């Protein structure tokens, strides 16, 4: 389903290059459950952004269901992304002027789902994350971990084929973290492909397949 | 040095109140090392914001070196804050258009420290956090954990009397996290008061004194 071959991503700052991804090869099948771990700055978020079509590699190929997507233009990328990927960002990226409920329902609004159906699905998603009583709060009226859970509810509400979660438990206490991992694993059991970047070994070791990165390269790839 | 008596903080959203802090009493002596732990939404960040004079309680008293500071106006609060507190925010709050070096040096710039001295202290602080080769990067050109370390370097550069660190290791791998905790503990050994909010028990248990919060209240306060 997902095939990366010889992927490279180099950033240039003030003339000096930063090799964020170097010669990355990765094959993922539909329904797989992967974790990506590695030191700060090793390229995990950059890899997730390339997979989620939020960034383009400078080298190599990215085949999604056999189709080359690494070289699509912005509009084409956005179309593929909207229907295939749910993204949990490392820093949430919630819309500041919208309430928790409006943020969670935003993908449904963009997809044209009628209001009654949308409200029902949003209420369910917020309840599952323990945030029913914060539905009317804006992001600046929520704690760090509450914002993170709103971001997770938003990423899962469209039942995407692939969820890319970047540090989904970084701001959560143990109980909330386990609740969130439980929601993601439940979606994976129902067939969704799940790729989780994490610093927490307790989260990373739950995955069926564990990838380790160092200095932009995949240094280990273990299946259980 | 710090004395909170009967402190309360209630937020009102759409008419319904959220009691973020309820009847909080806390005494901290100069040079203490405290950790604050508790579930997501239990009031940890709100307590830190009140201590750092970034927010005001609705009830109770806040005495800093015997002086009531809970009712100061914004200008007075800012003056006390600039010279007494270093703040590591849960989401860093770096200035987007400034480089890592400019962000770290900002408190020194505001305090009127001459450029040669400032550059030397900034270079030292960045090297201590392992970011010497990212000095010219802006926040959007840094990884999550690299931004977090820039925020920590900025909070410590003025050698404040008190460091309030909100989740300082949430986005860091184990090695970087230990490096950061090491920097903070080193400053504490030299007399700085250190208050760390964390979800990571491995970090929380290093403190001399451990406070636990639940639903806006201090539910436990253990000294080793
Ligand atoms: N837009 C950018 N411009 C320049 N350099 C960048 C950019 N984005 C990332 N980098 C650099 O690329 C490297 C990889 O960054 P990335 O965000 O992928 O790391 P990461 O593994 O997610 O780290 P963390 O665990 O700290 O979040 C880092 O050294 C970073 O400084
Ligand atoms: N500006 C605000 N307006 C309304 N409610 C708020 C505001 N800030 C915080 N709250 C609410 O107050 C409670 C405490 O929030 P706080 O940010 O202190 O929690 P926390 O312990 O830091 O949580 P986390 O571990 O998730 O960061 C939460 O339930 C939150 O929804
Ligand atoms: Mg990252
Ligand atoms: Mg918080």
């Amino acid at each position: 389903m997902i095939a990366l071959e010889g992927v490279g991503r180099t950033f240039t700052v003030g003339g000096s290059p930063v090799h964020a991804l170097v010669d990355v090869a990765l094959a993922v099948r539909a329904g797989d459950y992967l974790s990506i771990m590695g030191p700060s700055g090793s390229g995990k978020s950059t890899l997730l952004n390339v997979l989620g079509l939020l960034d383009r590699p400078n080298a190599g190929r990215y085949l999604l269901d056999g189709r080359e997507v690494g070289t699509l233009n912005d509009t084409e990328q956005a179309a593929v992304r909207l229907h295939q990927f749910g993204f949990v960002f490392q820093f949430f990226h919630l819309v500041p002027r919208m309430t928790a409920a409006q943020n969670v329902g935003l993908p449904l609004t963009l997809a044209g789902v009628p209001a009654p159906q949308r409200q029902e699905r949003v209420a369910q998603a917020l309840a599952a994350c323990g945030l029913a009583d914060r539905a009317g709060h804006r992001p600046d009226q929520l704690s760090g971990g509450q914002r993170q859970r709103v971001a997770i509810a938003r990423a899962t509400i469209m039942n995407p084929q692939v969820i890319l979660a970047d540090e989904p438990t970084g701001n959560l206490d143990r109980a909330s973290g386990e609740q969130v991992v439980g929601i993601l694993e439940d979606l994976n059991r129902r067939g969704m492909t799940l790729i989780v970047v994490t610093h927490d070994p307790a989260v990373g070791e739950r995955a069926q397949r564990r990838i380790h990165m160092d200095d932009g390269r995949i240094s280990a790839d273990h299946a259980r």
Side-chain angles (χ1 to χ4, degrees), chain A residues 32-33 86 88 104 121-132 145-165 168-169 172-196 203 206:
Chain A
D32 272 1
Y33 176 12
V88 183
V104 172
R121 285 170 68 176
V122 166
Q124 248 180 347
L126 283 174
C129 283
L131 289 176
Q146 291 169 341
R147 286 176 218 164
Q148 188 156 31
R149 283 176 279 164
V150 171
I152 285 152
R154 180 184 64 184
T156 55
I157 196 107
M158 292 282 277
N159 289 323
Q161 295 195 4
V162 184
I163 289 251
L164 304 172
T169 63
L172 296 178
D173 59 283
R174 183 145 305 208
S176 304
E178 282 170 6
Q179 190 182 28
V180 157
V181 171
I183 291 168
L184 296 176
E185 290 181 349
D186 185 52
L187 290 167
N188 172 251
R189 267 189 295 277
R190 285 191 254 156
M192 194 190 67
T193 306
L194 177 58
I195 302 179
V196 179
V203 175
R206 296 175 66 91

Side-chain angles (χ1 to χ4, degrees), chain A residues 19-180:
Chain A
H19 302 293
L21 295 178
V22 181
D23 197 20
V24 169
L26 184 66
V28 180
R29 282 165 315 198
D32 272 1
Y33 176 12
L34 268 80
S35 66
I36 302 175
M37 302 185 68
S40 174
S42 56
K44 304 179 300 296
S45 294
T46 304
L47 176 55
L48 227 61
N49 291 342
V50 167
L51 287 171
L53 300 178
L54 289 162
D55 191 14
R56 279 188 201 84
N58 306 104
R61 301 175 71 199
Y62 175 8
L63 298 171
L64 183 63
D65 296 331
R67 176 189 172 195
E68 170 60 64
V69 289
T71 50
L72 293 181
N73 66 33
D74 286 357
T75 321
E76 292 165 328
Q77 274 197 337
V80 175
R81 200 164 62 230
L82 183 65
H83 292 90
Q84 303 252 2
F85 294 101
F87 216 102
V88 183
F89 293 93
Q90 192 166 0
F91 299 107
F92 319 153
H93 295 316
L94 297 177
V95 179
R97 291 169 190 276
M98 284 187 169
T99 65
Q102 289 166 338
N103 263 286
V104 172
L106 186 56
L108 298 174
T109 310
L110 294 175
V113 173
Q117 239 177 302
R118 197 169 71 220
Q119 273 147 17
E120 199 187 313
R121 285 170 68 176
V122 166
Q124 248 180 347
L126 283 174
C129 283
L131 289 176
D133 58 352
R134 294 285 180 274
H137 284 228
R138 289 189 321 264
D140 62 344
Q141 297 172 324
L142 294 170
S143 80
Q146 291 169 341
R147 286 176 218 164
Q148 188 156 31
R149 283 176 279 164
V150 171
I152 285 152
R154 180 184 64 184
T156 55
I157 196 107
M158 292 282 277
N159 289 323
Q161 295 195 4
V162 184
I163 289 251
L164 304 172
D166 201 344
E167 298 287 346
T169 63
N171 274 280
L172 296 178
D173 59 283
R174 183 145 305 208
S176 304
E178 282 170 6
Q179 190 182 28
V180 157

